[in-house]
Amino acid sequence: MIAKQLCVFIENRQGRLEEVLDVLKRNGVNILSLSLADTMEYGLLRLIVSNPAEGRERLAAEGFSSMLSDVLVIKIPHKSGSLQGLLGMLSEGGINVEYMYALSIEGAAAYVVLKASDMQKADEIFTEKGVITLSSEDISRI
């Protein structure tokens, strides 16, 4: 299942990240995971949130540039080699991983957020192999 990720473009300056987080907090949008990459002038904040569309709408109303993108949120057992095995499935299918970051949910499993070169094909491979993925609706219930 493909999930939605909220991506926010922010100026690389003191306090700007806090301003983004404050908008989400004031509007009841819960952050489950985030990744921040920066350049000299700008940063790209990637977030898995309880309500991506609401988060984007509220950020836009406050002047932040953002977009929604497709990602896979994949359940991984806490066992040595589990991540490598999942990535091997994609490699065998000719799919490149563009980026990935961790998502922490209470319990025994780990999750990663993954963007692949062919999201539909990656989703099909994981579904065929019985890999558990979360939709945006699943995430909103966490």
Side-chain angles (χ1 to χ4, degrees), residues 11-47:
E11 299 161 86
N12 192 359
R13 66 172 171 83
Q14 184 177 345
R16 196 64 170 158
L17 177 58
E18 182 181 10
E19 292 169 12
V20 170
L21 300 181
D22 184 60
V23 170
L24 297 176
K25 178 185 81 174
R26 285 187 282 115
N27 290 284
V29 177
N30 186 34
I31 299 169
L32 284 87
S33 185
L34 65 84
S35 170
L36 179 62
D38 71 330
T39 64
M40 291 297 287
E41 296 180 20
Y42 293 94
L44 177 59
L45 178 62
R46 294 181 173 118
L47 303 133

PDB file of all heavy atoms in Angstrom, residues 11-47:
ATOM      1  N   GLU A  11      13.427  27.463   4.591  1.00  0.00           N
ATOM      2  CA  GLU A  11      14.688  28.194   4.594  1.00  0.00           C
ATOM      3  C   GLU A  11      15.578  27.632   5.696  1.00  0.00           C
ATOM      4  O   GLU A  11      15.102  27.310   6.778  1.00  0.00           O
ATOM      5  CB  GLU A  11      14.444  29.670   4.869  1.00  0.00           C
ATOM      6  CG  GLU A  11      13.564  30.345   3.838  1.00  0.00           C
ATOM      7  CD  GLU A  11      12.985  31.628   4.389  1.00  0.00           C
ATOM      8  OE1 GLU A  11      13.676  32.660   4.284  1.00  0.00           O
ATOM      9  OE2 GLU A  11      11.872  31.562   4.939  1.00  0.00           O
ATOM     10  N   ASN A  12      16.856  27.534   5.395  1.00  0.00           N
ATOM     11  CA  ASN A  12      17.814  27.039   6.361  1.00  0.00           C
ATOM     12  C   ASN A  12      18.238  28.199   7.267  1.00  0.00           C
ATOM     13  O   ASN A  12      19.288  28.799   7.082  1.00  0.00           O
ATOM     14  CB  ASN A  12      19.018  26.418   5.648  1.00  0.00           C
ATOM     15  CG  ASN A  12      19.901  25.628   6.578  1.00  0.00           C
ATOM     16  OD1 ASN A  12      19.643  25.548   7.770  1.00  0.00           O
ATOM     17  ND2 ASN A  12      20.951  25.056   6.026  1.00  0.00           N
ATOM     18  N   ARG A  13      17.370  28.500   8.234  1.00  0.00           N
ATOM     19  CA  ARG A  13      17.671  29.567   9.194  1.00  0.00           C
ATOM     20  C   ARG A  13      17.071  29.220  10.552  1.00  0.00           C
ATOM     21  O   ARG A  13      16.124  28.430  10.645  1.00  0.00           O
ATOM     22  CB  ARG A  13      17.155  30.914   8.706  1.00  0.00           C
ATOM     23  CG  ARG A  13      15.663  31.051   8.618  1.00  0.00           C
ATOM     24  CD  ARG A  13      15.274  32.505   8.320  1.00  0.00           C
ATOM     25  NE  ARG A  13      13.875  32.619   8.021  1.00  0.00           N
ATOM     26  CZ  ARG A  13      12.915  32.696   8.960  1.00  0.00           C
ATOM     27  NH1 ARG A  13      13.219  32.650  10.233  1.00  0.00           N
ATOM     28  NH2 ARG A  13      11.651  32.811   8.610  1.00  0.00           N
ATOM     29  N   GLN A  14      17.652  29.805  11.565  1.00  0.00           N
ATOM     30  CA  GLN A  14      17.242  29.510  12.939  1.00  0.00           C
ATOM     31  C   GLN A  14      15.748  29.746  13.143  1.00  0.00           C
ATOM     32  O   GLN A  14      15.203  30.771  12.751  1.00  0.00           O
ATOM     33  CB  GLN A  14      18.032  30.399  13.898  1.00  0.00           C
ATOM     34  CG  GLN A  14      17.744  30.109  15.345  1.00  0.00           C
ATOM     35  CD  GLN A  14      18.592  30.965  16.271  1.00  0.00           C
ATOM     36  OE1 GLN A  14      19.567  31.568  15.863  1.00  0.00           O
ATOM     37  NE2 GLN A  14      18.198  31.003  17.528  1.00  0.00           N
ATOM     38  N   GLY A  15      15.088  28.770  13.756  1.00  0.00           N
ATOM     39  CA  GLY A  15      13.685  28.896  14.120  1.00  0.00           C
ATOM     40  C   GLY A  15      12.690  28.478  13.064  1.00  0.00           C
ATOM     41  O   GLY A  15      11.503  28.307  13.367  1.00  0.00           O
ATOM     42  N   ARG A  16      13.121  28.309  11.824  1.00  0.00           N
ATOM     43  CA  ARG A  16      12.165  28.003  10.747  1.00  0.00           C
ATOM     44  C   ARG A  16      11.558  26.607  10.919  1.00  0.00           C
ATOM     45  O   ARG A  16      10.361  26.420  10.710  1.00  0.00           O
ATOM     46  CB  ARG A  16      12.850  28.135   9.395  1.00  0.00           C
ATOM     47  CG  ARG A  16      11.878  28.218   8.241  1.00  0.00           C
ATOM     48  CD  ARG A  16      11.017  29.449   8.318  1.00  0.00           C
ATOM     49  NE  ARG A  16      10.282  29.592   7.068  1.00  0.00           N
ATOM     50  CZ  ARG A  16       9.177  30.284   6.940  1.00  0.00           C
ATOM     51  NH1 ARG A  16       8.664  30.911   7.977  1.00  0.00           N
ATOM     52  NH2 ARG A  16       8.570  30.360   5.788  1.00  0.00           N
ATOM     53  N   LEU A  17      12.352  25.627  11.310  1.00  0.00           N
ATOM     54  CA  LEU A  17      11.828  24.290  11.555  1.00  0.00           C
ATOM     55  C   LEU A  17      10.801  24.324  12.681  1.00  0.00           C
ATOM     56  O   LEU A  17       9.731  23.720  12.569  1.00  0.00           O
ATOM     57  CB  LEU A  17      12.964  23.326  11.911  1.00  0.00           C
ATOM     58  CG  LEU A  17      12.564  21.895  12.278  1.00  0.00           C
ATOM     59  CD1 LEU A  17      11.793  21.220  11.154  1.00  0.00           C
ATOM     60  CD2 LEU A  17      13.812  21.090  12.626  1.00  0.00           C
ATOM     61  N   GLU A  18      11.080  25.051  13.718  1.00  0.00           N
ATOM     62  CA  GLU A  18      10.138  25.162  14.834  1.00  0.00           C
ATOM     63  C   GLU A  18       8.810  25.764  14.373  1.00  0.00           C
ATOM     64  O   GLU A  18       7.736  25.350  14.821  1.00  0.00           O
ATOM     65  CB  GLU A  18      10.734  26.010  15.947  1.00  0.00           C
ATOM     66  CG  GLU A  18       9.823  26.124  17.147  1.00  0.00           C
ATOM     67  CD  GLU A  18      10.388  26.994  18.255  1.00  0.00           C
ATOM     68  OE1 GLU A  18      11.401  27.675  18.042  1.00  0.00           O
ATOM     69  OE2 GLU A  18       9.765  27.003  19.318  1.00  0.00           O
ATOM     70  N   GLU A  19       8.870  26.723  13.444  1.00  0.00           N
ATOM     71  CA  GLU A  19       7.646  27.341  12.930  1.00  0.00           C
ATOM     72  C   GLU A  19       6.785  26.309  12.195  1.00  0.00           C
ATOM     73  O   GLU A  19       5.559  26.291  12.353  1.00  0.00           O
ATOM     74  CB  GLU A  19       7.991  28.505  12.004  1.00  0.00           C
ATOM     75  CG  GLU A  19       8.631  29.685  12.723  1.00  0.00           C
ATOM     76  CD  GLU A  19       9.202  30.717  11.771  1.00  0.00           C
ATOM     77  OE1 GLU A  19       8.923  30.653  10.540  1.00  0.00           O
ATOM     78  OE2 GLU A  19       9.935  31.599  12.246  1.00  0.00           O
ATOM     79  N   VAL A  20       7.407  25.455  11.398  1.00  0.00           N
ATOM     80  CA  VAL A  20       6.668  24.398  10.691  1.00  0.00           C
ATOM     81  C   VAL A  20       6.013  23.461  11.705  1.00  0.00           C
ATOM     82  O   VAL A  20       4.827  23.149  11.611  1.00  0.00           O
ATOM     83  CB  VAL A  20       7.602  23.590   9.760  1.00  0.00           C
ATOM     84  CG1 VAL A  20       6.895  22.343   9.221  1.00  0.00           C
ATOM     85  CG2 VAL A  20       8.105  24.450   8.618  1.00  0.00           C
ATOM     86  N   LEU A  21       6.798  23.033  12.685  1.00  0.00           N
ATOM     87  CA  LEU A  21       6.276  22.105  13.690  1.00  0.00           C
ATOM     88  C   LEU A  21       5.157  22.736  14.505  1.00  0.00           C
ATOM     89  O   LEU A  21       4.201  22.055  14.883  1.00  0.00           O
ATOM     90  CB  LEU A  21       7.411  21.631  14.594  1.00  0.00           C
ATOM     91  CG  LEU A  21       8.555  20.902  13.885  1.00  0.00           C
ATOM     92  CD1 LEU A  21       9.611  20.461  14.889  1.00  0.00           C
ATOM     93  CD2 LEU A  21       8.068  19.744  13.047  1.00  0.00           C
ATOM     94  N   ASP A  22       5.248  24.034  14.745  1.00  0.00           N
ATOM     95  CA  ASP A  22       4.196  24.721  15.497  1.00  0.00           C
ATOM     96  C   ASP A  22       2.881  24.737  14.715  1.00  0.00           C
ATOM     97  O   ASP A  22       1.812  24.527  15.295  1.00  0.00           O
ATOM     98  CB  ASP A  22       4.631  26.150  15.829  1.00  0.00           C
ATOM     99  CG  ASP A  22       3.619  26.869  16.686  1.00  0.00           C
ATOM    100  OD1 ASP A  22       3.331  26.384  17.813  1.00  0.00           O
ATOM    101  OD2 ASP A  22       3.084  27.902  16.232  1.00  0.00           O
ATOM    102  N   VAL A  23       2.940  24.962  13.415  1.00  0.00           N
ATOM    103  CA  VAL A  23       1.723  24.946  12.590  1.00  0.00           C
ATOM    104  C   VAL A  23       1.050  23.578  12.694  1.00  0.00           C
ATOM    105  O   VAL A  23      -0.159  23.484  12.890  1.00  0.00           O
ATOM    106  CB  VAL A  23       2.038  25.284  11.112  1.00  0.00           C
ATOM    107  CG1 VAL A  23       0.827  25.031  10.222  1.00  0.00           C
ATOM    108  CG2 VAL A  23       2.522  26.722  10.978  1.00  0.00           C
ATOM    109  N   LEU A  24       1.841  22.534  12.580  1.00  0.00           N
ATOM    110  CA  LEU A  24       1.273  21.179  12.668  1.00  0.00           C
ATOM    111  C   LEU A  24       0.685  20.928  14.049  1.00  0.00           C
ATOM    112  O   LEU A  24      -0.424  20.404  14.174  1.00  0.00           O
ATOM    113  CB  LEU A  24       2.340  20.143  12.317  1.00  0.00           C
ATOM    114  CG  LEU A  24       2.893  20.228  10.888  1.00  0.00           C
ATOM    115  CD1 LEU A  24       4.009  19.215  10.687  1.00  0.00           C
ATOM    116  CD2 LEU A  24       1.808  20.056   9.842  1.00  0.00           C
ATOM    117  N   LYS A  25       1.403  21.322  15.087  1.00  0.00           N
ATOM    118  CA  LYS A  25       0.920  21.110  16.460  1.00  0.00           C
ATOM    119  C   LYS A  25      -0.395  21.839  16.698  1.00  0.00           C
ATOM    120  O   LYS A  25      -1.352  21.258  17.214  1.00  0.00           O
ATOM    121  CB  LYS A  25       1.970  21.608  17.461  1.00  0.00           C
ATOM    122  CG  LYS A  25       1.522  21.479  18.920  1.00  0.00           C
ATOM    123  CD  LYS A  25       2.535  22.089  19.872  1.00  0.00           C
ATOM    124  CE  LYS A  25       2.312  23.583  19.908  1.00  0.00           C
ATOM    125  NZ  LYS A  25       3.122  24.278  20.893  1.00  0.00           N
ATOM    126  N   ARG A  26      -0.468  23.102  16.313  1.00  0.00           N
ATOM    127  CA  ARG A  26      -1.676  23.894  16.541  1.00  0.00           C
ATOM    128  C   ARG A  26      -2.886  23.332  15.822  1.00  0.00           C
ATOM    129  O   ARG A  26      -4.024  23.554  16.222  1.00  0.00           O
ATOM    130  CB  ARG A  26      -1.462  25.349  16.116  1.00  0.00           C
ATOM    131  CG  ARG A  26      -0.620  26.144  17.080  1.00  0.00           C
ATOM    132  CD  ARG A  26      -0.568  27.630  16.724  1.00  0.00           C
ATOM    133  NE  ARG A  26       0.357  27.874  15.611  1.00  0.00           N
ATOM    134  CZ  ARG A  26       0.007  28.322  14.411  1.00  0.00           C
ATOM    135  NH1 ARG A  26      -1.260  28.597  14.127  1.00  0.00           N
ATOM    136  NH2 ARG A  26       0.913  28.526  13.476  1.00  0.00           N
ATOM    137  N   ASN A  27      -2.640  22.570  14.755  1.00  0.00           N
ATOM    138  CA  ASN A  27      -3.742  22.019  13.963  1.00  0.00           C
ATOM    139  C   ASN A  27      -3.951  20.526  14.184  1.00  0.00           C
ATOM    140  O   ASN A  27      -4.662  19.872  13.420  1.00  0.00           O
ATOM    141  CB  ASN A  27      -3.501  22.331  12.476  1.00  0.00           C
ATOM    142  CG  ASN A  27      -3.666  23.810  12.204  1.00  0.00           C
ATOM    143  OD1 ASN A  27      -4.783  24.303  12.156  1.00  0.00           O
ATOM    144  ND2 ASN A  27      -2.555  24.532  12.082  1.00  0.00           N
ATOM    145  N   GLY A  28      -3.334  19.988  15.225  1.00  0.00           N
ATOM    146  CA  GLY A  28      -3.574  18.601  15.609  1.00  0.00           C
ATOM    147  C   GLY A  28      -3.029  17.562  14.649  1.00  0.00           C
ATOM    148  O   GLY A  28      -3.537  16.451  14.600  1.00  0.00           O
ATOM    149  N   VAL A  29      -2.002  17.922  13.885  1.00  0.00           N
ATOM    150  CA  VAL A  29      -1.387  16.975  12.960  1.00  0.00           C
ATOM    151  C   VAL A  29      -0.187  16.353  13.674  1.00  0.00           C
ATOM    152  O   VAL A  29       0.797  17.037  13.958  1.00  0.00           O
ATOM    153  CB  VAL A  29      -0.959  17.666  11.646  1.00  0.00           C
ATOM    154  CG1 VAL A  29      -0.263  16.676  10.722  1.00  0.00           C
ATOM    155  CG2 VAL A  29      -2.167  18.299  10.954  1.00  0.00           C
ATOM    156  N   ASN A  30      -0.295  15.063  13.964  1.00  0.00           N
ATOM    157  CA  ASN A  30       0.739  14.358  14.718  1.00  0.00           C
ATOM    158  C   ASN A  30       1.851  13.873  13.795  1.00  0.00           C
ATOM    159  O   ASN A  30       1.590  13.304  12.744  1.00  0.00           O
ATOM    160  CB  ASN A  30       0.110  13.160  15.457  1.00  0.00           C
ATOM    161  CG  ASN A  30       1.080  12.475  16.376  1.00  0.00           C
ATOM    162  OD1 ASN A  30       1.946  13.111  16.981  1.00  0.00           O
ATOM    163  ND2 ASN A  30       0.958  11.169  16.486  1.00  0.00           N
ATOM    164  N   ILE A  31       3.087  14.076  14.215  1.00  0.00           N
ATOM    165  CA  ILE A  31       4.253  13.629  13.446  1.00  0.00           C
ATOM    166  C   ILE A  31       4.677  12.262  13.957  1.00  0.00           C
ATOM    167  O   ILE A  31       4.959  12.094  15.139  1.00  0.00           O
ATOM    168  CB  ILE A  31       5.419  14.627  13.592  1.00  0.00           C
ATOM    169  CG1 ILE A  31       5.011  16.000  13.068  1.00  0.00           C
ATOM    170  CG2 ILE A  31       6.660  14.102  12.870  1.00  0.00           C
ATOM    171  CD1 ILE A  31       5.993  17.098  13.421  1.00  0.00           C
ATOM    172  N   LEU A  32       4.750  11.286  13.050  1.00  0.00           N
ATOM    173  CA  LEU A  32       5.210   9.953  13.413  1.00  0.00           C
ATOM    174  C   LEU A  32       6.675   9.750  13.051  1.00  0.00           C
ATOM    175  O   LEU A  32       7.369   8.963  13.681  1.00  0.00           O
ATOM    176  CB  LEU A  32       4.367   8.890  12.722  1.00  0.00           C
ATOM    177  CG  LEU A  32       2.995   8.703  13.348  1.00  0.00           C
ATOM    178  CD1 LEU A  32       2.007   9.666  12.771  1.00  0.00           C
ATOM    179  CD2 LEU A  32       2.544   7.294  13.161  1.00  0.00           C
ATOM    180  N   SER A  33       7.141  10.426  12.013  1.00  0.00           N
ATOM    181  CA  SER A  33       8.526  10.301  11.593  1.00  0.00           C
ATOM    182  C   SER A  33       8.897  11.506  10.753  1.00  0.00           C
ATOM    183  O   SER A  33       8.035  12.120  10.117  1.00  0.00           O
ATOM    184  CB  SER A  33       8.714   9.021  10.772  1.00  0.00           C
ATOM    185  OG  SER A  33      10.071   8.828  10.444  1.00  0.00           O
ATOM    186  N   LEU A  34      10.197  11.831  10.759  1.00  0.00           N
ATOM    187  CA  LEU A  34      10.648  12.922   9.902  1.00  0.00           C
ATOM    188  C   LEU A  34      12.089  12.718   9.492  1.00  0.00           C
ATOM    189  O   LEU A  34      12.846  11.999  10.133  1.00  0.00           O
ATOM    190  CB  LEU A  34      10.475  14.282  10.579  1.00  0.00           C
ATOM    191  CG  LEU A  34      11.281  14.606  11.831  1.00  0.00           C
ATOM    192  CD1 LEU A  34      12.654  15.128  11.507  1.00  0.00           C
ATOM    193  CD2 LEU A  34      10.530  15.645  12.645  1.00  0.00           C
ATOM    194  N   SER A  35      12.426  13.357   8.408  1.00  0.00           N
ATOM    195  CA  SER A  35      13.788  13.372   7.890  1.00  0.00           C
ATOM    196  C   SER A  35      14.042  14.796   7.410  1.00  0.00           C
ATOM    197  O   SER A  35      13.198  15.382   6.727  1.00  0.00           O
ATOM    198  CB  SER A  35      13.923  12.384   6.731  1.00  0.00           C
ATOM    199  OG  SER A  35      15.165  12.554   6.076  1.00  0.00           O
ATOM    200  N   LEU A  36      15.194  15.340   7.746  1.00  0.00           N
ATOM    201  CA  LEU A  36      15.538  16.702   7.333  1.00  0.00           C
ATOM    202  C   LEU A  36      16.871  16.658   6.597  1.00  0.00           C
ATOM    203  O   LEU A  36      17.867  16.172   7.131  1.00  0.00           O
ATOM    204  CB  LEU A  36      15.629  17.633   8.546  1.00  0.00           C
ATOM    205  CG  LEU A  36      16.007  19.080   8.270  1.00  0.00           C
ATOM    206  CD1 LEU A  36      14.964  19.763   7.385  1.00  0.00           C
ATOM    207  CD2 LEU A  36      16.167  19.836   9.585  1.00  0.00           C
ATOM    208  N   ALA A  37      16.870  17.139   5.373  1.00  0.00           N
ATOM    209  CA  ALA A  37      18.093  17.259   4.577  1.00  0.00           C
ATOM    210  C   ALA A  37      18.271  18.731   4.255  1.00  0.00           C
ATOM    211  O   ALA A  37      17.297  19.442   4.005  1.00  0.00           O
ATOM    212  CB  ALA A  37      17.969  16.440   3.296  1.00  0.00           C
ATOM    213  N   ASP A  38      19.509  19.193   4.283  1.00  0.00           N
ATOM    214  CA  ASP A  38      19.712  20.621   4.063  1.00  0.00           C
ATOM    215  C   ASP A  38      20.739  20.905   2.981  1.00  0.00           C
ATOM    216  O   ASP A  38      21.531  20.057   2.603  1.00  0.00           O
ATOM    217  CB  ASP A  38      20.130  21.308   5.365  1.00  0.00           C
ATOM    218  CG  ASP A  38      21.539  20.941   5.793  1.00  0.00           C
ATOM    219  OD1 ASP A  38      21.983  19.820   5.496  1.00  0.00           O
ATOM    220  OD2 ASP A  38      22.204  21.783   6.416  1.00  0.00           O
ATOM    221  N   THR A  39      20.634  22.133   2.477  1.00  0.00           N
ATOM    222  CA  THR A  39      21.654  22.720   1.625  1.00  0.00           C
ATOM    223  C   THR A  39      22.063  24.010   2.334  1.00  0.00           C
ATOM    224  O   THR A  39      21.626  24.266   3.454  1.00  0.00           O
ATOM    225  CB  THR A  39      21.091  23.044   0.219  1.00  0.00           C
ATOM    226  OG1 THR A  39      20.083  24.039   0.343  1.00  0.00           O
ATOM    227  CG2 THR A  39      20.510  21.804  -0.441  1.00  0.00           C
ATOM    228  N   MET A  40      22.843  24.825   1.702  1.00  0.00           N
ATOM    229  CA  MET A  40      23.264  26.071   2.349  1.00  0.00           C
ATOM    230  C   MET A  40      22.083  26.991   2.647  1.00  0.00           C
ATOM    231  O   MET A  40      22.056  27.659   3.665  1.00  0.00           O
ATOM    232  CB  MET A  40      24.281  26.807   1.472  1.00  0.00           C
ATOM    233  CG  MET A  40      25.607  26.076   1.387  1.00  0.00           C
ATOM    234  SD  MET A  40      26.440  25.926   2.976  1.00  0.00           S
ATOM    235  CE  MET A  40      26.986  27.593   3.219  1.00  0.00           C
ATOM    236  N   GLU A  41      21.089  27.022   1.759  1.00  0.00           N
ATOM    237  CA  GLU A  41      20.003  27.982   1.901  1.00  0.00           C
ATOM    238  C   GLU A  41      18.655  27.368   2.245  1.00  0.00           C
ATOM    239  O   GLU A  41      17.818  28.023   2.851  1.00  0.00           O
ATOM    240  CB  GLU A  41      19.875  28.808   0.619  1.00  0.00           C
ATOM    241  CG  GLU A  41      21.106  29.651   0.339  1.00  0.00           C
ATOM    242  CD  GLU A  41      20.970  30.457  -0.936  1.00  0.00           C
ATOM    243  OE1 GLU A  41      19.830  30.667  -1.383  1.00  0.00           O
ATOM    244  OE2 GLU A  41      22.010  30.858  -1.477  1.00  0.00           O
ATOM    245  N   TYR A  42      18.422  26.131   1.842  1.00  0.00           N
ATOM    246  CA  TYR A  42      17.105  25.529   2.030  1.00  0.00           C
ATOM    247  C   TYR A  42      17.217  24.121   2.610  1.00  0.00           C
ATOM    248  O   TYR A  42      18.238  23.467   2.478  1.00  0.00           O
ATOM    249  CB  TYR A  42      16.333  25.464   0.704  1.00  0.00           C
ATOM    250  CG  TYR A  42      15.981  26.831   0.187  1.00  0.00           C
ATOM    251  CD1 TYR A  42      16.792  27.479  -0.723  1.00  0.00           C
ATOM    252  CD2 TYR A  42      14.842  27.482   0.647  1.00  0.00           C
ATOM    253  CE1 TYR A  42      16.483  28.762  -1.173  1.00  0.00           C
ATOM    254  CE2 TYR A  42      14.520  28.749   0.203  1.00  0.00           C
ATOM    255  CZ  TYR A  42      15.352  29.388  -0.705  1.00  0.00           C
ATOM    256  OH  TYR A  42      15.042  30.636  -1.131  1.00  0.00           O
ATOM    257  N   GLY A  43      16.132  23.692   3.209  1.00  0.00           N
ATOM    258  CA  GLY A  43      16.042  22.335   3.711  1.00  0.00           C
ATOM    259  C   GLY A  43      14.815  21.664   3.143  1.00  0.00           C
ATOM    260  O   GLY A  43      13.852  22.317   2.743  1.00  0.00           O
ATOM    261  N   LEU A  44      14.855  20.345   3.096  1.00  0.00           N
ATOM    262  CA  LEU A  44      13.708  19.554   2.686  1.00  0.00           C
ATOM    263  C   LEU A  44      13.324  18.697   3.871  1.00  0.00           C
ATOM    264  O   LEU A  44      14.083  17.822   4.288  1.00  0.00           O
ATOM    265  CB  LEU A  44      14.029  18.678   1.473  1.00  0.00           C
ATOM    266  CG  LEU A  44      12.907  17.752   1.010  1.00  0.00           C
ATOM    267  CD1 LEU A  44      11.648  18.533   0.642  1.00  0.00           C
ATOM    268  CD2 LEU A  44      13.366  16.910  -0.163  1.00  0.00           C
ATOM    269  N   LEU A  45      12.165  18.980   4.422  1.00  0.00           N
ATOM    270  CA  LEU A  45      11.638  18.259   5.569  1.00  0.00           C
ATOM    271  C   LEU A  45      10.615  17.259   5.060  1.00  0.00           C
ATOM    272  O   LEU A  45       9.607  17.639   4.467  1.00  0.00           O
ATOM    273  CB  LEU A  45      10.999  19.247   6.550  1.00  0.00           C
ATOM    274  CG  LEU A  45      10.335  18.681   7.792  1.00  0.00           C
ATOM    275  CD1 LEU A  45      11.355  17.953   8.669  1.00  0.00           C
ATOM    276  CD2 LEU A  45       9.653  19.800   8.578  1.00  0.00           C
ATOM    277  N   ARG A  46      10.886  15.975   5.286  1.00  0.00           N
ATOM    278  CA  ARG A  46       9.964  14.908   4.892  1.00  0.00           C
ATOM    279  C   ARG A  46       9.322  14.375   6.158  1.00  0.00           C
ATOM    280  O   ARG A  46      10.021  14.036   7.114  1.00  0.00           O
ATOM    281  CB  ARG A  46      10.710  13.797   4.170  1.00  0.00           C
ATOM    282  CG  ARG A  46      11.290  14.225   2.843  1.00  0.00           C
ATOM    283  CD  ARG A  46      12.007  13.056   2.175  1.00  0.00           C
ATOM    284  NE  ARG A  46      12.419  13.417   0.839  1.00  0.00           N
ATOM    285  CZ  ARG A  46      13.696  13.458   0.439  1.00  0.00           C
ATOM    286  NH1 ARG A  46      14.670  13.131   1.274  1.00  0.00           N
ATOM    287  NH2 ARG A  46      13.981  13.795  -0.803  1.00  0.00           N
ATOM    288  N   LEU A  47       7.985  14.281   6.151  1.00  0.00           N
ATOM    289  CA  LEU A  47       7.260  13.878   7.345  1.00  0.00           C
ATOM    290  C   LEU A  47       6.213  12.813   7.044  1.00  0.00           C
ATOM    291  O   LEU A  47       5.506  12.898   6.034  1.00  0.00           O
ATOM    292  CB  LEU A  47       6.516  15.085   7.935  1.00  0.00           C
ATOM    293  CG  LEU A  47       7.341  16.292   8.303  1.00  0.00           C
ATOM    294  CD1 LEU A  47       6.696  17.554   7.778  1.00  0.00           C
ATOM    295  CD2 LEU A  47       7.479  16.368   9.798  1.00  0.00           C
TER     296      LEU A  47
END
